[in-house]
Amino acid sequence: MIQIQNKIVVIAVLFTFQLSFGQKKEETIGSQVVNVVKPYTPTISDAYKVKDTPPTDDEGNKAKETIKYTIFSFPVASTFTPSKGKAEGVEKAKKEYSFGNYATLGVGNYGTLNAELFVTQELGNNDYLAGMFRHHSSQGGIKDVELNDKFYDTSLDLAYGMNDRYMSWNVDLGYQNQVYNWYGLPSEFGANLSQSDRALLVGAIAPKHSYNTITLGGKMEFTESIFDKVSLNYTRFMDGLDSAENRFSFKPSFKVSVMDQTIHTDVIVDYVGGSFAANYANTQAIKYGFTNFGIVPSFVVTEDDWTLQLGAGLFYSLDNERSKNKIYLYPQFNASYNVVNDLMIFYVGAEGSLEQNSYADLVGQNSFLSPTLDIKPTSKQYDVFAGLKGKLANNVNYNINASYVNEENKALFKSNNYSEVATNKDYAFGNSLAVVYDGVTTTSFYGELKADFSENVTFGINARFNSYSTDSKQEAWNLPTIKVGSSLEASITKQWFAGFNVFYVGERKDGQLNTSINYIVDPTPITLKGYFDANAHVGYKYSERLTAFLRLNNIANQQYERWLNYSVQGFQVVAGANYKFDF
């Protein structure tokens, strides 16, 4: 109580002192002039935060005690069964294993034998060794043929190659032996001879002839280089009558960039040279040799729906035997325009080239030539064409075009004239063909249709119509005016498959003269009838390794003439099997 009173007394004294201070006597302030030198600028003093460390609660930082406990588990009865999730299955086709080797054997009527064997072996991670053996033969038996009509064709090829990231290359070595017979005697042969003399003359003809080919070559392809590819090939071709030919070709291709444009250039060096023991008149030997040098640069320009390929071909040809040289210049132009995306594409172009003819290539087209040929290159001065291609539906493609081709020294097959003299060569009785050359212009119209009705059925049909004009010859010998073909392939089941194809070749013109009874320089051309051929095959896939097949050729049994006086075999049946394997 005393303390409270003391506090009240103190407060009262302080209050009284304050009042006395505020009531001081008022003083008089005189007038003065105040000059403001600087405007007043208020400032705020810096504030300093008081650093305060909160007290530490030692009790909360004590170490936690370890608690030991035990769980007593016991089963609980439950009737709930959760349903398991199941992923939706996707049917996936089994990938067919690819075997590295196979063997094929087929036999048929006419004593036909067809055999193939292909083997390959990887020697390391990138290199491989491969070999191919082929044999096709027939014992003949063509109706109404008086001379032997057998043939054999056997070849063996070996290859070694390597593939890596930046390049791939391979080396090839091959040998081929072919045996044929000049069996195409003219129907009027021996008409002025007695039956006995004719029989003796026919019996004295030995129509057998053979060809042997040795090939050695290589090819390199690059992925990151100025060179695209380089090929080098050598061919030695010989026949059984002392004819021989050498062919060498070197073809590098490279690309360079000029002003953001890539220019592709093909370089061609092509040599062919050979000889024949005698000409057809058997008066002198024949020698020939040509070396062609060519360079073909081109570049591609793409603009919106247009694609243009522009270039030119420059060739220099040396006639090594006649010492005559010639320069050729050819267009290399192609353009395409997408009229309606990929449904309709218009294309046009003009191309030309110098084509080296050789004895080996000509025999590949016609096995019944006489070894008395004149070999020279063909100059395709220009091939101008235009057409439309595209799709009628997602699974139907079409292609139609028209072309006009002008060729100088085009090689044509024409039957040799003949006489009935026993001292003739075995190919000089009208039973062989020659090669003649002429300037030929060809106007063509072509149409093609391909359809995939399903994954298992494909169909195709095409037709070409030709019209020819020659510079000096009576006709464009043995060139057909029309060709039509169609094919159908079907996979019936997983095991069964089949196919069918038909074709028609129109009329051709040929000419032949019997010099024993007629001395007309240019005989009336002979018209060879057009011919139709139908072929079919069916196969059964017994397993991934073994497949059996049956082939039917010339089903209509047509005895048509492929060349003048050369009838073909009739209905042919070949049955066989193909076996795939790995080592």
Side-chain angles (χ1 to χ4, degrees):
M1 187 68 179
I2 296 174
Q3 292 179 352
I4 295 174
Q5 291 177 354
N6 293 335
K7 291 180 179 182
I8 294 174
V9 172
V10 173
I11 293 172
V13 172
L14 292 174
F15 182 74
T16 302
F17 177 78
Q18 181 68 26
L19 289 175
S20 63
F21 181 79
Q23 293 178 358
K24 286 185 178 181
K25 185 177 179 180
E26 181 176 352
E27 296 180 359
T28 302
I29 302 174
S31 61
Q32 295 180 358
V33 177
V34 179
N35 295 324
V36 180
V37 179
K38 179 182 178 181
Y40 174 71
T41 303
T43 60
I44 300 176
S45 301
D46 292 338
Y48 298 94
K49 183 179 180 181
V50 178
K51 296 181 180 181
D52 187 13
T53 302
T56 302
D57 186 0
D58 294 336
E59 184 177 357
N61 293 331
K62 291 181 179 180
K64 295 182 179 180
E65 297 181 1
T66 302
I67 302 175
K68 297 181 180 181
Y69 56 90
T70 304
I71 297 176
F72 298 96
S73 60
F74 57 90
V76 177
S78 176
T79 58
F80 173 72
T81 303
S83 59
K84 296 181 179 180
K86 183 179 180 182
E88 185 67 24
V90 178
E91 185 177 353
K92 184 178 180 181
K94 182 180 178 182
K95 185 178 180 180
E96 186 175 355
Y97 178 77
S98 178
F99 293 91
N101 314 283
Y102 74 86
T104 300
L105 179 64
V107 295
N109 60 338
Y110 293 98
T112 300
L113 176 63
N114 194 344
E116 288 187 12
L117 175 64
F118 175 78
V119 294
T120 181
Q121 180 64 45
E122 294 184 0
L123 303 179
N125 294 330
N126 299 320
D127 55 341
Y128 64 91
L129 181 66
M132 168 68 84
F133 170 80
R134 293 188 179 96
H135 176 81
H136 184 204
S137 62
S138 172
Q139 300 306 308
I142 300 175
K143 185 179 180 181
D144 298 329
V145 170
E146 298 180 88
L147 300 177
N148 191 348
D149 58 340
K150 298 179 181 179
F151 73 85
Y152 299 86
D153 189 347
T154 306
S155 63
L156 177 64
D157 296 282
L158 300 175
Y160 173 77
M162 179 176 290
N163 300 312
D164 59 25
R165 180 178 178 182
Y166 299 103
M167 64 174 293
S168 62
W169 61 271
N170 65 277
V171 178
D172 303 317
L173 175 64
Y175 173 75
Q176 183 179 20
N177 173 255
Q178 299 168 285
V179 178
Y180 293 95
N181 284 275
W182 289 298
Y183 66 86
L185 283 177
S187 58
E188 65 275 15
F189 177 77
N192 60 331
L193 299 176
S194 65
Q195 187 175 358
S196 59
D197 289 343
R198 184 183 184 282
L200 289 174
L201 183 57
V202 171
I205 300 174
K208 179 181 176 181
H209 61 287
S210 62
Y211 304 108
N212 292 280
T213 309
I214 300 173
T215 57
L216 176 63
K219 185 177 181 180
M220 301 177 67
E221 295 186 0
F222 305 88
T223 56
E224 298 180 7
S225 173
I226 188 175
F227 289 97
D228 285 333
K229 58 184 178 180
V230 178
S231 64
L232 182 67
N233 294 282
Y234 169 76
T235 301
R236 172 72 173 178
F237 185 74
M238 303 162 287
D239 65 18
L241 296 174
D242 298 328
S243 306
E245 177 183 79
N246 294 304
R247 176 88 178 267
F248 173 82
S249 65
F250 175 62
K251 298 180 180 179
S253 298
F254 59 92
K255 57 185 177 182
V256 295
S257 296
V258 178
M259 300 178 62
D260 298 329
Q261 184 64 53
T262 301
I263 299 178
H264 296 265
T265 303
D266 296 330
V267 178
I268 301 170
V269 180
D270 194 343
Y271 165 80
V272 65
S275 63
F276 297 101
N279 59 9
Y280 192 74
N282 199 25
T283 57
Q284 63 182 4
I286 300 175
K287 290 185 178 181
Y288 59 93
F290 290 89
T291 305
N292 296 335
F293 300 93
I295 181 170
V296 185
S298 65
F299 64 93
V300 177
V301 178
T302 302
E303 185 68 28
D304 296 331
D305 294 326
W306 279 98
T307 300
L308 301 176
Q309 181 181 2
L310 303 174
L314 178 63
F315 285 81
Y316 181 67
S317 180
L318 287 76
D319 186 340
N320 303 321
E321 293 295 327
R322 300 176 180 86
S323 299
K324 293 182 179 179
N325 307 327
K326 195 171 183 180
I327 297 176
Y328 300 89
L329 182 64
Y330 302 103
Q332 296 291 329
F333 167 75
N334 283 278
S336 64
Y337 176 70
N338 293 347
V339 181
V340 186
N341 295 327
D342 59 347
L343 300 180
M344 181 180 292
I345 301 173
F346 170 75
Y347 62 92
V348 63
E351 298 177 345
S353 64
L354 184 63
E355 301 174 353
Q356 186 80 282
N357 292 313
S358 69
Y359 187 26
D361 290 344
L362 294 170
V363 166
Q365 301 175 52
N366 188 333
S367 304
F368 309 106
L369 300 178
S370 62
T372 59
L373 307 181
D374 180 20
I375 304 294
K376 64 179 68 174
T378 296
S379 174
K380 182 185 289 186
Q381 296 178 314
Y382 53 83
D383 178 0
V384 181
F385 57 88
L388 289 173
K389 63 181 179 180
K391 294 183 177 181
L392 297 178
N394 289 333
N395 57 345
V396 180
N397 300 325
Y398 70 91
N399 183 15
I400 55 174
N401 65 55
S403 65
Y404 183 79
V405 183
N406 188 322
E407 295 173 283
E408 183 182 87
N409 287 330
K410 182 176 178 61
L412 304 172
F413 297 118
K414 179 181 179 297
S415 293
N416 281 313
N417 296 331
Y418 71 98
S419 64
E420 299 161 357
V421 180
T423 56
N424 283 349
K425 296 290 185 179
D426 295 313
Y427 52 79
F429 295 95
N431 54 337
S432 65
L433 291 92
V435 173
V436 296
Y437 297 89
D438 196 12
V440 179
T441 57
T442 306
T443 303
S444 296
F445 298 93
Y446 176 78
E448 181 183 38
L449 191 68
K450 293 182 178 180
D452 296 330
F453 296 119
S454 68
E455 294 182 356
N456 300 323
V457 181
T458 60
F459 171 78
I461 185 171
N462 62 81
R464 181 180 294 277
F465 302 89
N466 301 316
S467 176
Y468 306 101
S469 176
T470 59
D471 289 346
S472 60
K473 306 300 180 184
Q474 286 179 284
E475 300 286 345
W477 305 116
N478 278 293
L479 294 181
T481 56
I482 181 175
K483 282 186 175 182
V484 180
S486 181
S487 64
L488 177 68
E489 298 288 336
S491 296
I492 304 171
T493 66
K494 292 182 178 180
Q495 286 77 35
W496 288 95
F497 60 90
F500 183 77
N501 70 83
V502 297
F503 62 89
Y504 174 78
V505 177
E507 294 181 348
R508 292 92 61 219
K509 299 290 186 177
D510 204 338
Q512 192 173 59
L513 177 66
N514 184 350
T515 58
S516 297
I517 59 176
N518 197 334
Y519 294 94
I520 300 175
V521 176
D522 289 324
T524 302
I526 301 171
T527 300
L528 278 69
K529 295 181 180 179
Y531 59 88
F532 166 85
D533 203 338
N535 310 283
H537 67 269
V538 61
Y540 177 75
K541 187 176 179 180
Y542 179 78
S543 65
E544 289 186 350
R545 294 178 179 270
L546 183 61
T547 301
F549 62 84
L550 179 67
R551 298 172 185 166
L552 308 176
N553 298 326
N554 196 1
I555 297 175
N557 197 27
Q558 299 291 309
Q559 292 291 132
Y560 59 83
E561 291 181 330
R562 176 64 183 87
W563 308 103
L564 180 63
N565 305 319
Y566 277 91
S567 299
V568 300
Q569 294 176 344
F571 178 56
Q572 305 157 44
V573 180
V574 177
N578 174 275
Y579 182 74
K580 303 175 183 178
F581 60 95
D582 283 330
F583 290 116

